[in-house]
């Protein structure tokens, strides 16, 4: 019998306002399905990518195959696989499209090989896949997609990643205007240096957000979801960002910020609050400018990447 496995890896929100390159969390439902089937030779072949167009089928350019290659190389195993990917989030969404593929691929090949690596160990290989998508091997999206929940990348060298608790009642509203912002472009416009006074505000907010999450203090979560370093620059690339933020905060959102490098935006709400108002107003706002949006409310996914039957 041919050895085959199907995995699902969730879409993710990285940065989470004040936590640039450090904080992330996983979403429910949206993400990548990946099917890995053993071949008789040692080739990696991407058979099909369903759901979205424009993602490379070339195994040297796709994050899924690059991730698998990195794991096989580390384990000194010579095996080949056919790869099928089903995506429901476009690349360049700011919702970790490439990271979902990397996470699903890392988990699938590890599982098919009898799980020689732990979940945490898979992060560094998925980062190698991410390097292909955005020149830097960033970990914030892959960590959240692999581990699930809320994640912190405390250090890159050595890699130190862990989960932090969050309130069960926390919900996130995602607003994804259908325009593309490339992570590489969004990174280029950032400044290399930050002002000390801005850094002080930023680490105050990171501490506040983490404390709010751990203590289930929704007011503190909302107050701390402020980014004085990246948002003022990156928001320029997102149409109607200021207007959307004002609308969401007026409608009761707990903070509002850019998801990853955009153009997706997110805000937190509490379980029983009326998030449909935020979504309706977002549709009105973007509709007037002829921009379609995808918008939904999600729980935080506490499972992360998993096997599908
Ligand atoms: P996102 O923030 O949604 O992950 P990025 O802009 O970071 O989007 O990454 C998308 C880039 O990665 C695109 O250039 C895309 O072609 C490339 N890429 C390579 N492999 C994949 C894959 N399996 N899934 C998504 N994007 C991929």
């Amino acid at each position: 019998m041919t050895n085959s496995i199907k995995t699902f890896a969730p879409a993710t929100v990285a940065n989470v306002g004040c936590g640039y390159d450090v904080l992330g969390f996983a979403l429910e439902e949206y993400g990548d399905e990946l099917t890995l089937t053993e071949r008789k030779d040692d080739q990696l072949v991407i058979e099909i990518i369903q759901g979205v167009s424009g993602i490379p089928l070339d195994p040297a350019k796709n994050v899924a195959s690059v991730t698998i290659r990195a794991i096989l190389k580390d384990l000194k195993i010579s095996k080949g696989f056919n790869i099928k990917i089903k995506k429901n989030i476009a690349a360049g969404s700011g919702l970790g499209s490439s990271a979902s593929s990397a996470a699903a691929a890392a988990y699938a090949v590890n599982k098919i090989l009898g799980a020689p690596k732990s979940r945490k160990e898979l992060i560094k290989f998925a980062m190698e896949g991410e390097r292909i998508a955005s020149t830097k091997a960033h970990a914030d999206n892959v960590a959240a997609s692999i581990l699930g929940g809320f994640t912190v990348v405390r250090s890159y060298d050595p890699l130190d990643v862990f989960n932090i608790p969050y309130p069960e009642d926390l919900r996130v509203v995602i607003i994804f205007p259908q325009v593309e912002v490339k992570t590489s472009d969004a990174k280029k416009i950032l400044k290399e240096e930050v002002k000390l006074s801005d850094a002080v505000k930023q680490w105050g907010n990171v501490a506040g957000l983490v404390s709010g999450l751990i203590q289930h203090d929704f007011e503190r979560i909302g107050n701390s979801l402020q980014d004085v370093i990246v948002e003022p620059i990156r928001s320029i690339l997102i149409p109607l960002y200021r207007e959307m933020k004002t609308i969401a905060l007026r409608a009761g959102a707990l903070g509002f910020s850019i998801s990853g490098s955009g153009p997706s935006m997110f805000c937190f709400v509490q379980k029983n609050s009326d998030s449909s108002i935020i979504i309706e107003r977002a549709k009105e706002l973007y509709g007037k400018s002829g921009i379609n949006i995808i918008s939904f409310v999600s729980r935080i996914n506490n499972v992360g990447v998993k096997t599908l039957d």
Side-chain angles (χ1 to χ4, degrees), residues 32 54-56 61-64 85 87 90-99 101 133-134 181-183 261:
D32 277 21
I55 314 278
K61 295 191 178 137
N62 193 297
V63 300
I85 305 173
K87 302 184 78 73
S93 59
L95 294 170
S97 166
S98 51
S101 282
S134 72
V181 174
K182 280 213 154 48
T183 305
S261 50

Side-chain angles (χ1 to χ4, degrees), residues 274-294:
D274 189 5
S275 45
S276 61
I277 299 178
I278 300 173
I279 292 180
E280 274 166 33
R281 303 256 157 90
K283 283 187 178 150
E284 269 168 36
L285 176 72
Y286 283 95
K288 276 190 233 152
S289 297
I291 298 171
N292 284 330
I293 62 165
I294 293 174

Side-chain angles (χ1 to χ4, degrees), residues 175-233:
I175 295 150
F176 172 21
Q178 301 295 285
V179 292
E180 190 180 350
V181 174
K182 280 213 154 48
T183 305
S184 47
D185 294 343
K187 282 210 184 286
K188 262 184 242 153
I189 64 166
L190 295 180
K191 296 190 186 117
E192 282 294 316
E193 281 162 14
V194 296
K195 247 170 62 188
L196 184 60
S197 56
D198 284 344
V200 171
K201 287 183 196 154
Q202 198 86 351
W203 53 56
N205 282 321
V206 173
L209 179 56
V210 171
S211 151
L213 289 167
I214 293 172
Q215 299 187 331
H216 300 195
D217 184 335
F218 287 92
E219 196 181 340
R220 187 174 293 159
I221 291 172
N223 290 340
S224 308
L225 200 75
Q226 293 187 51
D227 168 13
V228 296
I229 295 174
V230 178
E231 184 198 56
I233 301 170

